[in-house]
Amino acid sequence: MADPTPVIDDLCAESEELDRLVAELTAEQWALATPAPGWTVAHQIAHLAWTDHSSLLAVTDPKAFSREVEKALAAPGDFVDNGAEEGAAKPPARLLAYWRAGREDLAQALRAAPDGARFPWYGPPMSTASMATARLMETWAHGLDVADALGVTREPTDRIRHIVRLGVRTRDFSFGVHGLTPPFEEFRVELTSPSGELWVYGPENATDRVTGPALDLCLLVTQRAHRADLALTAVGEDADRWLDIAQAFAGPPGKGRAPKERAPKERAPEEHGPKGDAG
């Protein structure tokens, strides 16, 4: 069984990097619009805080978490936005403190989880590593939206290896959520990491292949960029289809981002962790 410590450590590092980006913002900057219509910088951080809280309940109080699932089922189109709205209404200092406390409590709970633990979620149950990976994915993706609003370019790090792995492992879910039968054969995926390493998945002799920068696959599976704006190459019909529909977050298919040359703002994708287990 894989040790979840590395992904928990990377989750904390990713959160701290985003924290440094927002810690000294003015009230006006907290109110800046991000690429998701209706979502300000405050909404993005509030969403992360809200999901951290849900994750903490799943890890420490499954009965309380089940009540949250019931609320979600009662308002499937609104519960994510409602959580963001509630948090964004807090004064920035309170919101920042709430996010910090929640993510620290979650990290401690994940580190204390027993080996083999599995936690309920909005999709199938998740392992400790899965939960941490889901939180890292969201923190990274929503951090990109915050950086975009602030006009800041964030340099990618090899922490995205967890998102890449999740993106590859959720291939079949991407097909299924679109009503398509997943391919029977594995793909060969060869990606260049931010540090220049080659990250490889799948059999070397696979017919269908995907190659390109690891960052671009992360942008694709979190739907932070349109395929047309990325340097990913697919060989094979199934691999080509995957790059059109890939998503690593649970829930219905997101609308994604339009190509840059004609990019209207789109609704924030409703990621709540991987559909199934990534650990």
Side-chain angles (χ1 to χ4, degrees):
M1 184 175 298
D3 179 5
T5 301
V7 66
I8 299 172
D9 289 345
D10 283 347
L11 166 61
C12 292
E14 192 68 32
S15 298
E16 289 163 4
E17 182 176 319
L18 177 56
D19 195 312
R20 289 192 292 271
L21 192 59
V22 301
E24 303 299 328
L25 295 183
T26 65
E28 291 75 16
Q29 288 174 309
W30 279 96
L32 288 173
T34 68
W39 277 34
T40 64
V41 171
H43 285 85
Q44 299 284 351
I45 299 301
H47 174 68
L48 292 176
W50 176 85
T51 317
D52 284 343
H53 176 70
S54 292
S55 301
L56 182 62
L57 287 181
V59 173
T60 62
D61 192 344
K63 289 185 177 179
F65 177 76
S66 69
R67 292 193 289 271
E68 293 300 307
V69 173
E70 291 174 3
K71 293 178 185 178
L73 293 174
D78 299 324
F79 81 108
V80 170
D81 286 335
N82 291 343
E85 286 287 351
E86 181 179 351
K90 300 177 186 290
R94 284 184 57 197
L95 173 57
L96 189 58
Y98 179 64
W99 176 47
R100 286 170 172 170
R103 73 180 200 244
E104 177 63 26
D105 288 345
L106 175 60
Q108 291 181 6
L110 291 172
R111 293 186 193 282
D115 291 345
R118 299 184 69 79
F119 314 113
W121 197 237
Y122 297 98
M126 292 197 290
S127 68
T128 302
S130 296
M131 186 70 77
T133 300
R135 300 310 309 128
L136 191 154
M137 175 183 68
E138 277 214 285
T139 302
W140 180 82
H142 289 285
L144 291 179
D145 292 342
V146 170
D148 185 86
L150 299 174
V152 174
T153 299
R154 298 181 66 194
E155 291 299 320
T157 73
D158 280 4
R159 291 193 296 267
I160 66 172
R161 68 185 183 276
H162 306 292
I163 306 172
V164 167
R165 181 169 178 263
L166 176 59
V168 171
R169 288 175 65 90
T170 53
R171 183 202 71 169
D172 289 359
F173 165 68
S174 298
F175 279 86
V177 79
H178 283 84
L180 302 171
T181 301
F184 178 76
E185 301 292 342
E186 289 187 68
F187 296 165
R188 176 72 167 185
V189 180
E190 299 180 354
L191 304 168
T192 304
S193 76
S195 65
E197 295 181 23
L198 184 64
W199 293 342
V200 177
Y201 305 84
E204 187 174 1
N205 63 347
T207 301
D208 285 66
R209 312 174 74 86
V210 171
T211 58
L215 172 63
D216 286 17
L217 185 73
C218 292
L219 292 169
L220 186 76
V221 300
T222 59
Q223 298 190 352
R224 261 38 188 195
H226 191 277
R227 178 185 176 182
D229 297 319
L230 302 173
L232 295 170
T233 300
V235 174
E237 182 178 347
D238 288 333
D240 187 68
R241 175 66 64 86
W242 180 48
L243 294 189
D244 285 335
I245 62 175
Q247 70 178 67
F249 53 89
K255 294 181 180 179
R257 304 274 160 99
K260 288 181 179 179
E261 62 272 15
R262 55 181 177 83
K265 289 187 175 182
E266 79 296 338
R267 185 176 179 82
E270 298 180 355
E271 325 95 315
H272 309 301
K275 190 73 169 183
D277 195 272

